[in-house]
């Protein structure tokens, strides 16, 4: 049966105890409201490690004041049952006041990369993500931490932080889990009304168009992006935030699509912002 832990002190003591006993620890950081994307990470971690710690923390430092921190969906009882079923040993649910007590001052930033793509419309987002992940890595002392490729920029930034700061864990990337119509699963999909939900399928459909073109031999990034853009334009409900082809090594735009190229998209449906990507 999964054990819920809410204090940092207890979580640190439990993790230290596991390590003393020679157990391997897998970590799955989340903001909750689980779907199959989350549970795929948990299952993989449970298969790879003796114990899996799932963290559930809606991290305030990665939300700008105008964003959805307050209304972010929550369901602790359902999440606990899903994490249990997926094989997690612990669900760590710290509160804001203990993660960021009065006088908190320390932030971790992967410079440059945090200002690209999603970082343009969400300028403080990745600083919050890297800071909270660094804290969770210190508290939970994992051997491995699992992240979804759905959040491709986040994954690249976390890997970079771990390399640059010589952190002692392996980052494991897991494929994007999708609804049957292609929409990438996201806790934010619940914000969509039925018309927006229908239009949202054009995001992954656009990426599929780009992929088809590249597989047919097109190497020019602009042509692949054009194909995706044309698909997204099929619904007036979709407003593109960005659609770019970048190198996974630098996050800089690329002219050609080749192995190591990421086509990433963010789009608004009403006030809901969804992301998706395709890695070549
Ligand atoms: P979140 O709770 O949205 O912060 O996500 C927690 C973790 O689950 C992150 O590593 C995400 O990349 C991952 N994740 C979210 N959605 C998906 C998905 N559809 N497929 C795979 N992983 C996902």
């Amino acid at each position: 049966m999964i054990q819920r832990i809410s204090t940092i002190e207890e979580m640190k003591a439990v993790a230290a105890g596991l390590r003393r006993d020679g157990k391997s620890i897998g970590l799955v950081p989340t903001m909750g409201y689980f779907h199959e994307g989350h549970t795929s990470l948990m299952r993989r971690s449970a298969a790879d490690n003796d114990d899996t710690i799932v963290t559930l923390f809606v991290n305030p430092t990665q939300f700008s004041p105008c964003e959805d921190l307050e209304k972010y969906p929550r369901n602790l009882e359902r999440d606990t049952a899903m994490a249990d079923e997926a094989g997690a040993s612990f669900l760590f649910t710290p509160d804001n006041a203990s993660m960021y007590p009065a006088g908190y001052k320390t932030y971790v930033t992967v410079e440059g990369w945090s200002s690209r793509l999603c970082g343009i419309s969400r300028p403080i987002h990745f600083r919050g993500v890297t800071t909270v992940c660094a804290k969770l890595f210190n508290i939970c002392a994992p051997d491995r931490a699992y992240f979804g490729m759905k959040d491709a920029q986040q994954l690249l930034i976390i890997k970079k932080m771990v390399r640059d700061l010589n952190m002692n864990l392996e980052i494991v990337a897991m494929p994007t889990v999708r609804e049957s119509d292609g929409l990438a699963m996201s806790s934010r999909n619940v914000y969509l009304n039925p018309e927006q939900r229908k239009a949202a399928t054009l995001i992954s459909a656009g990426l599929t168009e780009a992929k088809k073109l590249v597989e047919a031999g097109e190497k020019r990034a602009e042509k692949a992006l054009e194909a995706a853009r044309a698909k997204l334009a099929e619904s007036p409900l979709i407003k593109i935030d960005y659609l770019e082809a970048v190198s996974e090594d630098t996050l800089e735009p690329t002219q050609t699509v080749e192995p190591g190229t990421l086509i990433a998209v963010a789009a608004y449906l009403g006030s809901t912002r969804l992301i998706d990507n395709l890695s070549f």
Side-chain angles (χ1 to χ4, degrees), residues 29-32 35 37-38 41 72 146-148 150-151 154 175-177 184-185:
T30 80
M31 299 204 302
H35 49 66
H38 296 110
L41 274 54
Y72 198 82
Y146 296 79
F147 290 87
K150 201 271 250 162
D151 299 275
Q154 165 173 287
T176 301
V177 177
M185 288 192 182

Side-chain angles (χ1 to χ4, degrees), residues 62-77:
Q62 69 190 65
F63 289 79
S64 295
C66 59
E67 292 182 335
D68 56 342
L69 173 63
E70 295 308 325
K71 70 165 187 170
Y72 198 82
R74 292 161 212 248
N75 190 338
L76 182 57
E77 292 313 315

Side-chain angles (χ1 to χ4, degrees), residues 133-145:
C133 285
K135 286 170 69 71
L136 293 170
F137 295 167
N138 283 333
I139 295 165
C140 301
D143 296 275
R144 299 177 192 86

Side-chain angles (χ1 to χ4, degrees), residues 50-70:
D50 293 318
D51 282 289
T52 290
I53 303 171
V54 175
T55 70
L56 194 173
F57 180 58
V58 183
N59 175 36
T61 63
Q62 69 190 65
F63 289 79
S64 295
C66 59
E67 292 182 335
D68 56 342
L69 173 63
E70 295 308 325

